[in-house]
Amino acid sequence: MLTIIGVFLIVWIGTLVRTVFGFGEALISMPLLALISFDLKTSTALIGAVGLLVALPATIREWRHIDFRAVRRLVTGSLIGVPLGIVLVKTVPSILVLRGLGTFLIIYGTYSLWYSFSGRISQPHLSNNGFDYLAGIISGALGSAYNSHGVPVAVYGTLKRWSAKQLRAILQAHFLCVGILVVISHISAGFWSINAIELLVLVIPGLFIVVPFGNWLVRRVDAARAIKIIYGALIIFGVLLWIR
């Protein structure tokens, strides 16, 4: 019972992070679910489904700011990346998957935290739209393997120098499209079970509280300071996964 309550709290915390910052729910939820020894495949299926449910209203809300051509290129790349991620999970031992996730969290969290404190240093600018496909492939692979399809696009969007509104809108539309692919891939790969379905049904009512609360926070919280805390937490989670 304590484990189930822990799963609910972790999923809702991840959803709150996603609602406030536009991405990052899997980076919070997946390591914490692993730390309480929750089944990796069930965790992957559950977080993927919740992410899809959260993406739908967010996409509708940000509809006017979406660059549909960029989303099309990203999703096209993800069509290649999604099956690659499934192969990774099904062929690589779980300990390597978790350590790979831990390494990814440490690298991404360290880079993002460093950059957030070193804003004076100019960031590279990617202007060629062909990179959209590469970002989509990486996003699709990480999405189907770790439910982390938002992070590559978020990092890539900063390199493309999309505006904050444009980046948030593209992220949500991308989450919706790739989220459908990811959930289908999880079903075909056998990640879903009766236990996962029951957990999803029990988690959904809490989303009707967490998502509006997150939208309320967006209008009142200093996101620049809060995101630095999140980056620091990602580094800690990555280290803990390596220790386990």
Side-chain angles (χ1 to χ4, degrees), residues 99-180:
R99 287 188 174 181
L101 177 57
T103 301
F104 175 73
L105 290 175
I106 293 171
I107 293 174
Y108 175 71
T110 301
Y111 167 78
S112 300
L113 191 62
W114 168 79
Y115 185 78
S116 66
F117 282 107
S118 309
R120 298 189 306 273
I121 300 176
S122 60
Q123 193 178 25
H125 180 203
L126 299 178
S127 57
N128 191 329
N129 290 332
F131 286 111
D132 292 1
Y133 297 102
L134 178 59
I137 292 174
I138 298 173
S139 172
L142 288 176
S144 57
Y146 307 130
N147 279 319
S148 299
H149 45 287
V151 171
V153 178
V155 174
Y156 178 66
T158 61
L159 296 176
K160 289 279 286 188
R161 297 183 183 177
W162 290 331
S163 67
K165 288 184 177 181
Q166 188 178 28
L167 175 58
R168 189 178 183 89
I170 290 175
L171 275 170
Q172 303 315 311
H174 177 70
F175 287 153
L176 180 61
C177 297
V178 177
I180 295 173

Side-chain angles (χ1 to χ4, degrees), residues 37-206:
S37 300
F38 196 67
D39 180 68
L40 178 61
K41 290 184 178 180
T42 301
S43 299
T44 303
L46 180 62
I47 299 304
V50 171
L52 177 60
L53 292 176
V54 175
L56 179 58
T59 301
I60 295 174
R61 188 174 61 251
E62 304 288 346
W63 189 263
R64 292 176 297 175
H65 304 292
I66 298 175
D67 183 339
F68 290 98
R69 288 175 296 180
V71 172
R72 176 180 56 81
R73 291 189 290 267
L74 289 168
V75 173
T76 300
S78 295
L79 290 172
I80 301 173
V82 166
L84 294 179
I86 291 296
V87 171
L88 176 66
V89 171
K90 293 181 75 67
T91 58
V92 179
S94 295
I95 187 171
L96 295 182
V97 174
L98 293 176
R99 287 188 174 181
L101 177 57
T103 301
F104 175 73
L105 290 175
I106 293 171
I107 293 174
Y108 175 71
T110 301
Y111 167 78
S112 300
L113 191 62
W114 168 79
Y115 185 78
S116 66
F117 282 107
S118 309
R120 298 189 306 273
I121 300 176
S122 60
Q123 193 178 25
H125 180 203
L126 299 178
S127 57
N128 191 329
N129 290 332
F131 286 111
D132 292 1
Y133 297 102
L134 178 59
I137 292 174
I138 298 173
S139 172
L142 288 176
S144 57
Y146 307 130
N147 279 319
S148 299
H149 45 287
V151 171
V153 178
V155 174
Y156 178 66
T158 61
L159 296 176
K160 289 279 286 188
R161 297 183 183 177
W162 290 331
S163 67
K165 288 184 177 181
Q166 188 178 28
L167 175 58
R168 189 178 183 89
I170 290 175
L171 275 170
Q172 303 315 311
H174 177 70
F175 287 153
L176 180 61
C177 297
V178 177
I180 295 173
L181 298 176
V182 167
V183 170
I184 292 174
S185 69
H186 289 165
I187 295 173
S188 63
F191 286 8
W192 278 92
S193 63
I194 296 299
N195 184 39
I197 295 173
E198 291 175 346
L199 287 174
L200 178 62
V201 171
L202 293 174
V203 161
I204 288 176

